[in-house]
Amino acid sequence: MYSKKTKIYVAGHKGMVGSAIWRILSANGYYNLLGKTSTELDLRNQEAVKQFFTELQPEVVIDAAARVGGILANNEFPYQFIMENMQIQNNLIDTALKSGVEKFIFLGSSCIYPKLAPQPLREEYLLTDVLESTNESYAIAKITGVKACQAIRKQFNKDYVSLMPTNLYGPYDNFDLNTSHVLPAMIRKFHEAKETKNPSVSLWGSGKPMREFLFVDDLAAAIIFTLENKLPDYLYNLGTGEDITIKELAETIQKIVGYQGRIIWDTSKPDGTPRKLMDVSKMNSLGWKHKINLKDGIQHTYTWFLDNIERIKQVKIN
Ligand SMILES: NC(=O)c1ccc[n+]([C@@H]2O[C@H](COP(=O)([O-])OP(=O)(O)OC[C@H]3O[C@@H](n4cnc5c(N)ncnc54)[C@H](OP(=O)(O)O)[C@@H]3O)[C@@H](O)[C@H]2O)c1
């Protein structure tokens, strides 16, 4: 149905996820790719989005544009997280539908599932209980995107599908300590402590929560799989199906970075959801499976961090 010359718009193509999608699409021979930075096209601006679709007429849209952040940013800027994400995705989804786009891949995250949902998280647990309060705004915005795409499938019979990746990491991640996710934050903290010979590193929470991490190139491979196959359902989890404690994650990163000091767990800071593991059997049964293990992925990310230390991304919110 789609060929290497299909015009594919990757929204958010300079972000961690978008740039991985762009790299892997290019490596697989897709050459008709469209991308705009937020300065060139602010996706919160409905008129600008409409104009872009009218002028460039993408055939497929992959939505990797979002206001993204870790626990601290989510907690402090709930308005930006709900409103900007709804604006971005509403403009993209609605304009794509009205422009005749047949295939739309929407990216959400595992935080759409209830805080205390049974583990591992299955797609059908969506909207069965209350959300984790620290990222409720972000999750609600993402849920509305999933539901809009589901409604389009049902009402207009178009291939609009939502993928929910677990925690992602890799090249081009955000390493700002105020807005980043746990894994890049730890890489930066251990690296800086090693460089400054700091005897200890303080990390948020108890270290007890369990989390799952997917290398971003594995996610990009799942996007290609979704592009090249018409998936039968509206919602799919993406992950490794394996989780570790935050403490184990910290020790793994500490070892890879080569930091010799002590870890102090700051239990005055929130832990977030106790456990978040995706049930990925639905997507695995169709044929996609992750390939990169956590140690290799962290090693790759740390090497990238060292090679790009002068220009690592530090997302500020205002
Ligand atoms: N990171 C994770 O762990 C994770 C986990 C699960 C799901 N996801 C999902 O993956 C997607 C991408 O996340 P990411 O980690 O790649 O985030 P990211 O690195 O922060 O990238 C976000 C992208 O969105 C673009 N963007 C933000 N606001 C925009 C606006 N108003 N107009 C146009 N573009 C805008 C940014 O463009 P500029 O750089 O040009 O400003 C950037 O390219 C999100 O939907 C997220 O929910 C991420």
Side-chain angles (χ1 to χ4, degrees):
M1 189 168 53
Y2 298 105
S3 73
K4 303 291 180 190
K5 70 171 187 211
T6 298
K7 207 185 255 189
I8 303 171
Y9 170 39
V10 183
H13 74 304
K14 294 280 186 193
M16 176 178 68
V17 170
S19 60
I21 295 170
W22 189 281
R23 269 197 313 277
I24 293 197
L25 282 172
S26 303
N28 278 269
Y30 290 91
Y31 61 86
N32 212 349
L33 305 182
L34 301 175
K36 294 272 181 200
T37 64
S38 57
T39 316
E40 293 164 341
L41 172 62
D42 186 342
L43 294 169
R44 293 169 299 182
N45 180 337
Q46 193 181 26
E47 282 313 308
V49 174
K50 281 186 190 168
Q51 201 182 332
F52 168 77
F53 274 73
T54 305
E55 276 170 20
L56 291 164
Q57 305 203 340
E59 295 164 83
V60 170
V61 177
I62 300 170
D63 179 7
R67 164 68 72 193
V68 178
I71 193 170
L72 185 64
N74 267 277
N75 221 0
E76 284 190 14
F77 302 98
Y79 184 68
Q80 279 93 331
F81 277 86
I82 193 163
M83 189 50 66
E84 292 189 22
N85 282 312
M86 287 198 303
Q87 286 171 328
I88 291 168
Q89 71 205 29
N90 286 353
N91 290 338
L92 284 173
I93 295 169
D94 189 50
T95 312
L97 175 67
K98 290 175 178 159
S99 309
V101 170
E102 293 292 327
K103 183 145 198 155
F104 191 107
I105 302 175
F106 178 67
L107 285 171
S109 98
S110 57
C111 70
I112 63 163
Y113 294 113
K115 175 176 172 135
L116 297 174
Q119 303 284 327
L121 296 163
R122 294 177 63 85
E123 288 84 350
E124 59 263 35
Y125 298 157
L126 183 65
L127 292 173
T128 53
D129 203 348
V130 293
L131 298 162
E132 156 65 34
S133 61
T134 50
N135 55 24
E136 191 184 66
S137 295
Y138 181 71
I140 287 175
K142 290 291 187 185
I143 292 169
T144 66
V146 172
K147 286 290 160 189
C149 290
Q150 185 188 16
I152 289 170
R153 279 180 91 82
K154 183 176 167 199
Q155 204 177 323
F156 303 99
N157 195 25
K158 287 179 188 281
D159 189 7
Y160 282 43
V161 61
S162 298
L163 304 180
M164 298 301 115
T166 187
N167 303 296
L168 299 166
Y169 68 100
Y172 298 94
D173 208 339
N174 169 24
F175 289 89
D176 183 289
L177 293 179
N178 289 316
T179 57
S180 63
H181 290 115
V182 58
L183 195 151
M186 282 184 184
I187 289 182
R188 180 162 175 188
K189 281 190 172 186
F190 284 126
H191 174 76
E192 288 180 354
K194 182 177 83 170
E195 293 296 293
T196 57
K197 301 194 171 25
N198 199 330
S200 64
V201 162
S202 174
L203 298 176
W204 274 45
S206 66
K208 286 183 188 146
M210 301 197 70
R211 291 290 182 276
E212 177 188 12
F213 298 92
L214 181 70
F215 190 62
V216 72
D217 286 17
D218 275 330
L219 176 267
I223 300 278
I224 297 225
F225 180 81
T226 306
L227 175 69
E228 294 177 347
N229 296 281
K230 190 168 182 184
L231 307 189
D233 210 348
Y234 77 101
L235 177 63
Y236 293 89
N237 292 341
L238 297 175
T240 62
E242 296 157 15
D243 58 355
I244 60 168
T245 64
I246 293 294
K247 185 168 179 286
E248 286 167 323
L249 175 73
E251 288 164 359
T252 305
I253 296 177
Q254 180 179 24
K255 215 168 170 184
I256 287 169
V257 170
Y259 171 64
Q260 308 285 347
R262 222 160 45 88
I263 299 173
I264 296 168
W265 293 100
D266 180 358
T267 49
S268 68
K269 297 288 198 304
D271 266 344
T273 308
R275 190 172 187 211
K276 240 204 278 191
L277 177 65
M278 291 290 215
D279 182 324
V280 286
S281 55
K282 196 167 152 185
M283 193 62 161
N284 285 172
S285 71
L286 296 178
W288 171 86
K289 196 177 187 316
H290 81 285
K291 291 198 174 109
I292 299 147
N293 72 41
L294 186 62
K295 273 191 195 143
D296 290 347
I298 293 173
Q299 183 63 65
H300 189 92
T301 307
Y302 184 50
T303 304
W304 183 90
F305 173 86
L306 292 176
D307 290 344
N308 294 276
I309 201 144
E310 299 303 330
R311 54 190 182 100
I312 53 168
K313 187 168 58 177
Q314 301 198 46
V315 176
K316 306 287 178 204
I317 299 183
N318 48 42

